[in-house]
Amino acid sequence: MTSLRAFALAFALLPSLAPMGFAQSATFEAGNWAAIVKGKTCSVYSIRSARDTTGYLEFSFDQMGYNANFAYVYVPFDANDVEAPWDMDADAIALWLGDEQLWLGEEMSFYTQGFTYAAGLTNGFVPELISAMRSPSGDFGFGIEKASAGETWLYGGFSLDGFDAALAWAGETCQFDPSALPQS
């Protein structure tokens, strides 16, 4: 079992550790994507990716689609790798759909949460990213424009097989239309 798959499995089991009073978890899996409801939030996340990918993608939505978020979460290949995977002040984020670079990378910023390194999209642009990812344009790529090296490094390649189905399940479960998210 790959470390990314093991992490996704552990992620799916987290709701069972929640205090009493939260809704029981429900999950759905299609192709390279899965969806889960945790309490009152639905998450859609990648569970399979290209070889040498160092993280996963995750969308989250509150009931009725409010507070939509998108993030790339870095998962190192080696558990002893504790250095930052990028320079949070100098590097920039690059996104691709097939061979075309998306300008939405400019709307992402780095952040840390505990021991986790991640990059999040400005919330207002989540509907536009979803729309782009639902178009038949190829795989989705997440990369970092490394200022110190003067080049762009691909951190993850993600097939979109199953993305629409997982997103539709989340929309039905959390009562929102993925094509018409409310202003959060």
Side-chain angles (χ1 to χ4, degrees):
M1 181 181 303
T2 66
S3 62
L4 184 59
R5 180 108 168 112
F7 184 78
L9 179 61
F11 180 76
L13 295 175
L14 283 178
S16 65
L17 302 175
M20 298 291 276
F22 284 93
Q24 290 294 323
S25 69
T27 60
F28 174 83
E29 188 174 321
N32 298 316
W33 291 81
I36 187 170
V37 60
K38 298 179 289 184
K40 294 182 179 184
T41 301
C42 283
S43 293
V44 175
Y45 56 97
S46 60
I47 55 173
R48 292 181 200 87
S49 54
R51 183 174 168 86
D52 298 329
T53 293
T54 57
Y56 66 93
L57 306 175
E58 180 181 13
F59 289 87
S60 64
F61 311 89
D62 288 345
Q63 288 293 311
M64 300 179 69
Y66 286 99
N67 300 316
N69 289 294
F70 169 76
Y72 167 83
V73 180
Y74 177 76
V75 179
F77 286 119
D78 181 347
N80 296 319
D81 183 10
V82 293
E83 291 186 34
W86 42 66
D87 182 333
M88 294 177 73
D89 297 320
D91 293 344
I93 299 164
L95 303 178
W96 291 273
L97 197 53
D99 294 331
E100 182 179 333
Q101 188 166 354
L102 300 174
W103 66 270
L104 289 165
E106 298 170 14
E107 292 297 328
M108 292 189 76
S109 57
F110 301 113
Y111 66 93
T112 58
Q113 187 172 355
F115 296 104
T116 303
Y117 292 96
L121 180 65
T122 304
N123 293 10
F125 293 99
V126 172
E128 193 159 347
L129 180 60
I130 288 172
S131 178
M133 290 175 73
R134 295 176 91 184
S135 68
S137 300
D139 292 344
F140 182 83
F142 178 89
I144 303 295
E145 295 174 1
K146 303 289 278 183
S148 63
E151 56 191 29
T152 302
W153 294 1
L154 181 65
Y155 274 61
F158 302 89
S159 168
L160 296 175
D161 177 44
F163 177 70
D164 281 337
L167 189 61
W169 183 90
E172 183 178 317
T173 303
C174 281
Q175 303 167 354
F176 67 90
D177 179 355
S179 300
L181 290 172
Q183 295 294 322
S184 299

